[in-house]
Amino acid sequence: MTNEFYDPGSERVAKVNRLFTRIARRYDLLNDIQSFGLHRLWKRRVVEMTRANPGTHALDVCCGTGDIAFALSHRGAGTVGLDFNQSMLQVAEHRKSTSLFAPTQGRESETPVFLLGDAQQLPFAENRFDIVTVGYGLRNLRHWQGGLREMARVARPAGRLLVLDFGKPDNPIWRAIYFGYLRLFVPLLGLAFCGSASAYAYILESLRHYPAQNGVADEMRRLGLKNVQIHNLLGGVMSINYGEKQ
Ligand SMILES: C[S@@+](CC[C@H](N)C(=O)[O-])C[C@H]1O[C@@H](n2cnc3c(N)ncnc32)[C@H](O)[C@@H]1O
């Protein structure tokens, strides 16, 4: 069965963009429901691993509504959040004015700058950022390896790259249970809250075509990153890939 939003070919970019326009307004709510709030912990873990602090420069690619970008800037990093979907960025901009993320007076650098742009062609010179993160983004790119290469290009020597995404557990029973959850329950949530089951069936479809934690680690090594690590969460259901530019 083909998915309305998944296309391995030239339509991929347009379809993914359409998908996020469709779900932008409900995206945060659905994240909380489908992960039982756990995505907040996983993102917090990513941000801790960045070791962001005042004086560091961070880029969050495929930033969506800004969870990781806000958390990075909360730790004092000058942060840019980049995404190619205007609707997701509108939600991110709106969140700047909510009390939790309201800019601290006189400390402008603690508010992320949100930028419309393509993860596959980052609009930055090389060696620019101490930290480059991506959460649930690489899997959506037409060429995820190209996206990772771009992240490495704009990172400074010794800069940290972190990739958070759905994983593929090694344990076959656990993997079957989790894929069943993505196949049956998550699309129902999409239908109930966004009026589209296929928008959320897309997660499993895109994951099938993505090599997840092991493939990303291999590619990090191929790109010459050092100290490459895989941090599995919930038995590999989610994972964080970590690497440092030489
Ligand atoms: C699943 S959301 C993740 C949002 C956020 N990082 C989070 O963890 O909640 C994926 C995001 O990737 C963005 N995206 C997909 N392809 C992109 C591309 N080629 N360039 C920039 N952003 C892209 C989408 O617009 C969407 O906001």
Side-chain angles (χ1 to χ4, degrees), residues 18 30 52 54 65 89 93 97 106 118 174 185 192 201 207 216 230 235-236 240 245:
R18 210 174 304 142
L30 259 285
T65 58
L89 286 181
E93 284 293 346
S97 58
D118 187 352
W174 188 219
F185 184 63
L207 185 57
V216 173
I230 298 174
I240 300 169
K245 187 165 171 178

Side-chain angles (χ1 to χ4, degrees), residues 13 16-17 20-21 23 27-28 31 39 43 60-68 82-86 88-89 117-120 134-142 164 166:
V13 175
V16 169
N17 208 337
F20 286 101
T21 299
I23 67 175
Y27 177 79
D28 290 329
N31 264 356
H39 75 105
K43 287 170 179 167
D60 182 41
V61 178
C62 298
C63 67
T65 58
D67 279 349
I68 294 174
L82 177 137
D83 200 283
F84 78 164
N85 185 275
Q86 191 77 64
M88 295 292 273
L89 286 181
D118 187 352
Q120 306 230 150
V134 62
Y136 305 104
L138 220 47
R139 178 177 38 86
N140 294 303
L141 303 186
R142 185 159 177 225
L164 168 68
F166 290 89

Side-chain angles (χ1 to χ4, degrees), residues 61 82 116-124 141 146-147 150-151 153-154:
V61 178
L82 177 137
L116 192 68
D118 187 352
Q120 306 230 150
Q121 275 187 300
L122 293 174
F124 305 106
L141 303 186
E150 276 295 87
M151 290 172 66
R153 182 183 67 76
V154 301

Side-chain angles (χ1 to χ4, degrees), residues 35 53 81 119 244:
S35 74
N53 56 36
E244 293 166 1

Side-chain angles (χ1 to χ4, degrees), residues 37-48 233 240:
L38 289 171
H39 75 105
R40 294 168 183 256
L41 298 182
W42 299 327
K43 287 170 179 167
R44 196 180 303 160
R45 176 92 184 270
V46 167
V47 172
E48 280 166 10
L233 308 162
I240 300 169

